[in-house]
Amino acid sequence: GDKVKQSPSALSLQEGTNSALRCNFSIAATTVQWFLQNPRGSLINLFYLVPGTKENGRLKSTFNSKESYSTLHIRDAQLEDSGTYFCAAPYGGLSGKLTFGEGTQVTVIS
Amino acid sequence: DAGVTQTPRHEVAEKGQTIILKCEPVSGHNDLFWYRQTKIQGLELLSYFRSKSLMEDGGAFKDRFKAEMLNSSFSTLKIQPTEPKDSAVYLCASSPLGGRGYEQYFGPGTRLTVL
């Protein structure tokens, strides 16, 4: 809900271009996870981050805990990158519960 | 390593029926979560177990939803009686050691349709 805000809500990308998704937190997030929900509905783990940056192929993610945001960069977008991207952060003391953003729906077009 | 498994993948129920969804977490994981996903509400936490103990049973869902974890490798979510508004994707996730900041891994989900 409001604790994790994602932007934009939807994005259309030309194949081969780059883009960035953003996640803003109103909770004191210590870690962040990024997921891709594919058209079949499966939630695929993309990144699990402590403050800092990780890269995996054409994807790169940064988590800045002091400024309470995380970004996910998609480089050289491909058709298979289409889906809904979610960020999530744990909340509730020592609980492992995650609070999710509302998602960014990404459509890559050829 | 096997990931989180969920069965069935699809379920169709008549209003008023009892349905049971099943989840097997990743072997050795300590925390298990049940979520519901709808287009309107997004992802909502239903239940949360740590070492088989129920930590949270998601307030608004207490009424007709009951999650159980009889052993560390198996959990069920019972919905009784089902209503059309329960139509959603039910996702199970597990996490290794519990506590703040451990990565969660999701199963493929069960798509429930209540007629």
Side-chain angles (χ1 to χ4, degrees), chain A residues 28 30-31 33 35 37 40-43 45 47-48 86 90-98 100, chain B residues 9 31 33 35 37 43 45 48 50 56 89 91 98-108 111:
Chain A
T30 53
T31 61
Q33 280 193 251
F35 300 90
Q37 189 161 41
R40 291 182 61 192
S42 296
L43 272 165
N45 288 37
F47 291 103
Y48 169 71
F86 290 96
Y91 74 105
L94 294 175
S95 162
K97 300 183 295 185
L98 290 177
F100 284 80
Chain B
R9 293 296 309 273
D31 278 7
F33 306 85
Y35 294 90
Q37 186 178 28
L43 276 146
L45 181 71
Y48 163 38
R50 171 167 293 171
E56 184 164 328
V89 176
L91 292 160
R100 177 172 267 177
Y102 285 93
E103 189 170 6
Q104 284 189 25
Y105 298 83
F106 281 79
R111 184 174 295 277

Side-chain angles (χ1 to χ4, degrees), chain B:
Chain B
D1 279 342
V4 178
T5 58
Q6 290 187 248
T7 55
R9 293 296 309 273
H10 301 272
E11 177 81 60
V12 178
E14 298 280 341
K15 179 183 170 181
Q17 270 187 286
T18 296
I19 61 108
I20 297 176
L21 310 181
K22 304 178 183 81
C23 173
E24 293 179 29
V26 175
S27 178
H29 278 193
N30 228 33
D31 278 7
L32 185 140
F33 306 85
W34 283 99
Y35 294 90
R36 183 172 84 167
Q37 186 178 28
T38 60
K39 280 193 168 28
I40 295 172
Q41 299 292 337
L43 276 146
E44 303 171 281
L45 181 71
L46 300 174
S47 291
Y48 163 38
F49 292 88
R50 171 167 293 171
S51 302
K52 301 184 292 179
S53 296
L54 183 63
M55 306 297 287
E56 184 164 328
D57 63 358
F61 296 98
K62 274 184 188 177
D63 206 18
R64 298 176 296 105
F65 291 71
K66 183 171 182 178
E68 290 187 312
M69 196 162 185
L70 301 178
N71 63 58
S72 59
S73 58
F74 185 69
S75 176
T76 57
L77 176 67
K78 183 194 287 188
I79 309 176
Q80 177 184 37
T82 52
E83 297 182 5
K85 65 182 179 182
D86 299 332
S87 297
V89 176
Y90 290 81
L91 292 160
C92 178
S94 70
S95 182
L97 294 174
R100 177 172 267 177
Y102 285 93
E103 189 170 6
Q104 284 189 25
Y105 298 83
F106 281 79
T110 296
R111 184 174 295 277
L112 172 66
T113 304
V114 182
L115 304 173

Side-chain angles (χ1 to χ4, degrees), chain A residues 47 49-55 60-63 71:
Chain A
F47 291 103
L49 289 162
V50 295
T53 298
K54 278 190 179 178
E55 199 161 348
K60 184 169 88 171
S61 184
T62 297
F63 173 38
T71 54

